[in-house]
């Protein structure tokens, strides 16, 4: 079956602009996660959803970052007033339940110029 | 604060050799320890995971060794193949699940033909 799909695969934006990154999880997976991976580093937890609600958003770096999952399936990570330091690969993952293994997408590479 | 320390940063092994990657953690509340494999341009993929009630887990050519008292765990790749060349990440989380993973900084493995 289809894996986790993330769009766009690449996004270049100017400093100060607003961006939205989309994640389509594996069908039937109730849990959805966002991670950020800087060059040469391991992924860093941002937020996870159980159903429609954000169960843990403790990894969001500041209030410029926000994520939604209104119908319990597709999720959007929103970044306001982008900064050059936001440049990274944003990874989405889903799992059948929170006790199940994570399946990662291939990420969206965000470059802020 | 880096809670999961991974070494070495890079590793070169001959085909057929054993690759060993080590991780150490600080948070004694961690109780789930997965290893992920990542190829360039792809998201991390779960290889194998262990919980602290066992000291070793083997799946095919991949083995995790776990030392709870030393707060260390390692990945052994037996009969390493060129196709194993990738970046490997250890990770850890609490609650016995993968809800909020803390990743190591990664090991770039190169297996020479």
């Amino acid at each position: 079956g289809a894996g986790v799909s993330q769009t766009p695969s690449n996004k270049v934006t100017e400093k100060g602009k607003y961006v939205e990154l989309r994640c389509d999880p594996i069908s039937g997976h109730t849990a959805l996660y966002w991670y950020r991976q800087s060059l040469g580093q391991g992924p860093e937890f941002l937020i996870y959803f159980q159903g429609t609600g954000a169960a843990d958003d403790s990894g969001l770096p500041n209030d410029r970052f926000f994520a939604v999952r209104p119908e319990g399936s597709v999720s959007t990570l929103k970044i306001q007033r982008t900064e050059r330091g936001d440049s990274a690969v944003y990874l989405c993952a889903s799992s059948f339940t929170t006790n199940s293994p994570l399946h990662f997408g291939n990420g969206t590479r965000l470059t802020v110029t | 604060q880096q809670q999961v320390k991974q070494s070495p940063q890079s590793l070169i092994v001959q085909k057929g050799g054993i690759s060993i990657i080590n991780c150490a953690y600080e948070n004694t509340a961690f109780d789930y320890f997965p290893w992920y494999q990542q190829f360039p341009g792809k998201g991390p993929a779960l290889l194998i995971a262990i919980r602290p009630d066992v000291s070793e887990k083997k799946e095919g050519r991949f083995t995790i060794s776990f030392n709870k008292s030393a707060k260390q765990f390692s990945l052994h790749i037996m009969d390493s193949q060129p196709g194993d060349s990738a970046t490997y990440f250890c990770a850890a989380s609490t609650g016995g699940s993968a809800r909020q993973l803390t990743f190591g900084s990664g090991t770039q493995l190169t297996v020479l033909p």
Side-chain angles (χ1 to χ4, degrees):
Chain A
V4 176
S5 176
Q6 292 188 246
T7 54
S9 56
N10 283 283
K11 177 71 176 178
V12 180
T13 191
E14 293 180 347
K15 179 177 178 294
K17 297 291 188 182
Y18 168 83
V19 296
E20 290 189 350
L21 311 179
R22 176 187 169 106
C23 174
D24 283 83
I26 293 172
S27 178
H29 281 195
T30 61
L32 184 146
Y33 313 77
W34 285 98
Y35 282 77
R36 178 169 70 175
Q37 186 172 24
S38 300
L39 190 63
Q41 298 298 315
E44 180 184 19
F45 172 81
L46 295 177
I47 184 172
Y48 94 89
F49 291 85
Q50 178 58 51
T52 60
D56 184 346
D57 64 357
S58 62
L60 294 177
N62 51 60
D63 61 5
R64 296 186 298 105
F65 289 75
F66 189 71
V68 295
R69 195 186 185 199
E71 298 178 357
S73 179
V74 171
S75 176
T76 304
L77 179 65
K78 308 181 181 193
I79 310 174
Q80 299 178 324
R81 304 183 304 280
T82 52
E83 300 178 355
R84 292 193 180 89
D86 299 335
S87 296
V89 174
Y90 289 82
L91 294 165
C92 177
S94 68
S95 62
F96 184 64
T97 70
T98 54
N99 290 322
S100 305
L102 266 60
H103 298 264
F104 280 89
N106 290 332
T108 293
R109 180 176 298 279
L110 176 66
T111 304
V112 182
T113 63
Chain B
Q1 179 185 6
Q2 185 182 19
Q3 296 193 55
V4 180
K5 190 170 184 179
Q6 184 171 346
S7 64
Q9 188 174 16
S10 62
L11 180 62
I12 299 174
V13 173
Q14 292 286 341
K15 179 182 175 182
I18 302 174
S19 304
I20 302 175
I21 304 170
N22 301 298
C23 282
Y25 62 96
E26 300 165 5
N27 186 352
T28 55
F30 285 149
D31 58 5
Y32 175 71
F33 303 90
W35 284 89
Y36 285 83
Q37 178 189 58
Q38 187 175 31
F39 293 103
K42 301 295 185 182
L46 178 66
L47 265 180
I48 186 172
I50 198 169
R51 300 182 194 279
D53 53 340
V54 297
S55 60
E56 186 174 283
K57 183 175 182 179
K58 182 176 180 179
E59 289 184 1
R61 295 186 294 111
F62 301 95
T63 299
I64 297 180
S65 297
F66 183 79
N67 185 328
K68 187 175 181 178
S69 61
K71 293 186 287 184
Q72 295 176 347
F73 58 111
S74 60
L75 176 69
H76 292 62
I77 306 174
M78 312 299 288
D79 186 27
S80 299
Q81 299 297 311
D84 297 331
S85 298
T87 301
Y88 293 80
F89 293 96
C90 63
S93 62
T94 62
S97 73
R99 275 174 295 194
Q100 184 178 345
L101 291 167
T102 299
F103 281 83
S105 56
T107 296
Q108 187 167 351
L109 171 66
T110 302
V111 181
L112 301 176

